[in-house]
Amino acid sequence: MNITNFFAAGGIVAYPLLLFSLAGVACIIERAVFWWRINRRQRQVVRDALGLYRQDPFNAMKFLKRNADLPIARIFLEALDLENPNSEEFRLALESATQAEIPTLKRFNTVFDTIIAVAPLLGLLGTILGLMQSFSALNIGDVGNTNAAGVTGGISEALVSTVMGLVVAIFTLLFANLFNGLYQRNLAFIQEYGGQLELLYRRFYEKSEATIMNR
C-alpha cells in the first residue's frame, strides 16, 4: 500500500491527523533550530561575559548586547542595566528576567501536549467509524447480500486510522520529551551562571560600599 492509498484508507480522521502531523513537524523544526543555536554558543558566550565582567562591567554589557539573541544574555542585561541596584535588587532582577524568558524556552509545549493527547483519540474515533461502516455493510440475515467491499473498507479504515493516530502521537512525544529535557538543563544552566554573576556583583557592590565609607 503506497502513501496515497494508506492516507485514503484512513477515512475522515486522516485529514485532521495530517494537519496535526504537519503542525508537529513545523514546531519540531523550529525548536530544533532554537536549541541547536543556544547549545552551540551559549556556554562560551557566558564564560566570556563573566570574564569581561571581572575586568570591566561596561565591556561585559557591550558584549552581552551583541549576543542578545540568547536568553541568558538578555537575562544578564536586565540585571546589569539597573542603575546602582543593591544586591537584593540585583538578585530579584535576575529572577524576574529568568521568569520572563521561560515562555520562550517552553514555546510550543502546549501544541505538543495537544497533539500527543488528541491524535490517539482521533485514531480511536477512526476505529469506531470504520467498525460502524463494516457493521452497516454486514447483512447478518443474508450473507450472500453482504457488501464485502464495505466490510473490508471499514476494517481497513479502523486499522489505518489507529496506526496514524499512534504514529503522530509517538513521534511528537519523543521530540517533546527531548525538548523538555533541554529546557530543564538550560534552566539549571541559567541558575548556575546567574548565581555566579550575582556573586561577582555582590563583591563589586560591597567593595564600592567599603570605598565610600572609607572616604
Side-chain angles (χ1 to χ4, degrees), residues 28 30-40 42-43 71 104-106 109 112 174-190:
I28 287 169
E30 192 278 340
R31 289 288 85 187
V33 173
F34 174 82
W35 286 114
W36 175 79
R37 179 171 53 82
I38 286 181
N39 291 331
R40 183 173 61 92
Q42 181 171 251
R43 188 171 297 274
T104 301
L105 299 175
K106 298 180 70 174
N109 273 21
F112 291 141
L174 291 175
F175 282 96
N177 285 341
L178 171 64
F179 296 142
N180 187 59
L182 291 171
Y183 159 75
Q184 296 291 343
R185 188 171 66 179
N186 193 71
L187 188 61
F189 179 86
I190 291 172

Side-chain angles (χ1 to χ4, degrees), residues 44-100:
Q44 189 60 47
V45 167
V46 170
R47 288 175 176 173
D48 292 344
L50 292 177
L52 287 171
Y53 187 79
R54 293 185 182 95
Q55 302 170 7
D56 186 353
F58 181 73
N59 285 335
M61 290 184 63
K62 288 170 55 178
F63 176 76
L64 287 170
K65 287 178 180 178
R66 292 197 300 269
N67 295 276
D69 58 320
L70 297 176
I72 196 167
R74 294 193 293 269
I75 291 170
F76 283 9
L77 283 171
E78 284 291 327
L80 295 174
D81 277 339
L82 294 177
E83 187 174 349
N84 298 322
N86 57 37
S87 299
E88 183 64 17
E89 291 171 339
F90 191 85
R91 181 182 63 81
L92 290 174
L94 283 175
E95 291 179 353
S96 61
T98 300
Q99 291 297 317

